[in-house]
């Protein structure tokens, strides 16, 4: 991930409903959620949700697949991982022990 991609991802996450979508999809795991379920869970209309899903997909943070008549959305774990790696790559100017608590806590979350 380069800086431009990271900025796009953070811009997408900088809106409350989009942040909630990503959190809900990360919580749901690889099976994901149907669009209707996701809209209900985060409390937005289907039309409003579609706009947010497009932004998150464009930023590489979510993905979709068709299952019958439903579209299932899931977190794009590779994109999310790339974003975290981008932030942590040069952790504390060669002092990774400073970042160790964050890495440890994410493994137990």
């Amino acid at each position: 991930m380069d800086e431009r991609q990271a900025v796009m991802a953070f811009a997408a996450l900088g809106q409350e409903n989009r942040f909630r979508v990503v959190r809900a999809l990360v919580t749901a795991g690889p099976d994901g959620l149907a669009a209707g379920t996701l809209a209900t869970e985060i409390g937005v209309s289907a039309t409003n949700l579609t706009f947010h899903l497009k932004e998150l997909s464009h930023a590489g943070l979510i993905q979709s697949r068709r299952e019958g008549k439903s579209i299932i959305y899931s977190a794009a774990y590779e994109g999310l991982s790339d974003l975290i790696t981008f932030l942590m790559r040069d952790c504390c100017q060669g002092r990774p022990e400073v970042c160790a608590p964050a890495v440890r806590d994410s493994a137990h979350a």
Side-chain angles (χ1 to χ4, degrees):
M1 175 170 285
D2 62 23
E3 186 174 299
R4 183 189 60 75
Q5 293 167 313
V7 168
M8 186 184 312
F10 280 117
L13 289 170
Q15 200 282 336
E16 183 178 4
N17 289 326
R18 290 194 289 266
F19 184 76
R20 287 179 179 166
V21 166
V22 171
R23 294 277 314 221
L25 293 177
V26 167
T27 300
D31 291 340
L33 295 171
T37 303
L38 188 53
T40 299
E41 190 165 316
I42 66 165
V44 299
S45 69
T47 304
N48 193 305
L49 179 66
T50 299
F51 169 76
H52 294 305
L53 293 172
K54 183 181 123 198
E55 293 294 316
L56 291 166
S57 180
H58 185 67
L61 300 175
I62 66 167
Q63 54 198 11
S64 64
R65 67 183 184 282
R66 183 168 289 282
E67 284 187 9
K69 293 183 179 181
S70 297
I71 298 177
I72 307 297
Y73 292 91
S74 58
Y77 293 101
E78 185 176 344
L80 292 166
S81 179
D82 288 349
L83 183 59
I84 292 166
T85 299
F86 177 83
L87 284 176
M88 304 300 279
R89 184 178 310 141
D90 301 317
C91 182
C92 304
Q93 298 181 3
R95 295 177 36 222
E97 71 279 2
V98 175
C99 297
V103 173
R104 181 190 65 241
D105 290 347
S106 70
H108 294 93

